[in-house]
Amino acid sequence: MSRLTLPPQATQVGLAVDVAAFAMHGGELRVLLVQRGALPHARDWALPGGFVYPGEELHEAALRELRTETTVQLEPRHLEQFYTFGEVNRDPRGRIVSVAHLAVLPHGTVHVTAGGHTLGAEWLSAHQPPALAFDHHAILDKAIGRLQLRLEYGNLAMEFLPDTFTLPELQGVYEAVLNRRLDKRNFRKRLLSQGILTPSGERRTGVGRPAQLYRRAKHARIAAL
């Protein structure tokens, strides 16, 4: 049997992944960024990412790059492909197509340092990031838009929180992701009417009145879009 060959006009394309990994820190939506240690864009901030290995699934490549370029070893609470970036001149090394992934890291994921060939790694403001390498500003903007859509149609906000949480904590996630304030009464009325929350039977004590704790209802799973 003859081997199939590409036509002479076919373009040689490199396949890569980039990961927009989010978490809540101090009531602010943060994105995990790394400082590149190699050309091009050496010392610039970028999303974790790199080339896909032969025989490697795309989600496996995304997890490998996330764990190699940073010290984050925890399994994301959520990981999905959300867009493909393939502009002709997006990378000076050649024609490289990147399959972008969105990740939500577990509650409490704070400490992170550089790994592999990166010079640094930090959780920085998602809505006000520093200058980014390649087209990573466009990737981050698209990821935030996807995240905002997921709040309304995928119940993703709860993935940023521990298993039990208060309504003000949940509202804080919505406000951080949407980057705007929400009316407290309308927010609670809408969320409780959807049937996606159930009281845990516990209250959080501290300053002021003990707050009712909630958890995700058993039937409320992250919806596929």
Side-chain angles (χ1 to χ4, degrees), residues 4-224:
L4 294 176
T5 59
L6 292 174
Q9 68 271 25
T11 303
Q12 296 297 318
V13 178
L15 181 61
V17 292
D18 289 298
V19 185
F22 297 99
M24 288 289 297
H25 294 164
E28 182 183 16
L29 180 68
R30 302 286 185 96
V31 62
L32 182 57
L33 298 177
V34 296
Q35 190 175 28
R36 289 177 54 80
L39 294 172
H41 296 286
R43 298 188 177 277
D44 288 347
W45 289 102
L47 297 170
F51 291 103
V52 179
Y53 293 166
E56 187 177 39
E57 299 291 345
L58 292 176
H59 74 277
E60 294 173 343
L63 289 174
R64 173 179 54 75
E65 288 294 336
L66 185 63
R67 293 165 177 167
T68 299
E69 295 192 350
T70 74
T71 56
V72 171
Q73 299 298 316
L74 297 174
E75 191 74 17
R77 295 283 296 271
H78 178 78
L79 178 70
E80 66 168 285
Q81 298 176 25
F82 71 92
Y83 203 77
T84 299
F85 291 81
E87 289 76 6
V88 174
N89 297 316
R90 63 175 300 274
D91 193 309
R93 293 169 293 185
R95 186 68 190 276
I96 298 174
V97 173
S98 177
V99 180
H101 288 66
L102 182 155
V104 176
L105 273 293
H107 174 76
T109 306
V110 177
H111 300 292
V112 62
T113 58
H117 56 270
T118 59
L119 302 178
E122 291 187 32
W123 288 102
L124 298 175
S125 172
H127 292 293
Q128 294 181 314
L132 299 178
F134 306 108
D135 56 352
H136 288 194
H137 264 297
I139 297 177
L140 178 57
D141 286 345
K142 183 74 74 172
I144 292 175
R146 177 72 172 187
L147 192 58
Q148 291 171 341
L149 185 65
R150 278 296 205 172
L151 291 185
E152 297 300 322
Y153 298 101
N155 304 326
L156 193 59
M158 287 177 276
E159 297 302 314
F160 286 92
L161 297 170
D163 291 337
T164 59
F165 47 84
T166 66
L167 289 181
E169 289 170 341
L170 184 58
Q171 182 173 340
V173 173
Y174 275 79
E175 291 179 339
V177 174
L178 297 173
N179 200 27
R180 59 184 174 88
R181 298 297 298 273
L182 299 174
D183 180 78
K184 179 179 178 180
R185 180 175 296 180
N186 289 338
F187 175 82
R188 292 188 175 208
K189 181 179 179 180
R190 181 169 62 88
L191 260 291
L192 293 176
S193 68
Q194 292 176 353
I196 60 176
L197 302 177
T198 184
S200 70
E202 303 173 340
R203 290 183 178 271
R204 180 170 296 157
T205 59
V207 179
R209 182 179 178 182
Q212 172 69 57
L213 290 173
Y214 291 84
R215 60 166 47 96
R216 184 200 303 270
K218 291 183 178 180
H219 66 275
R221 298 292 180 238
I222 297 176

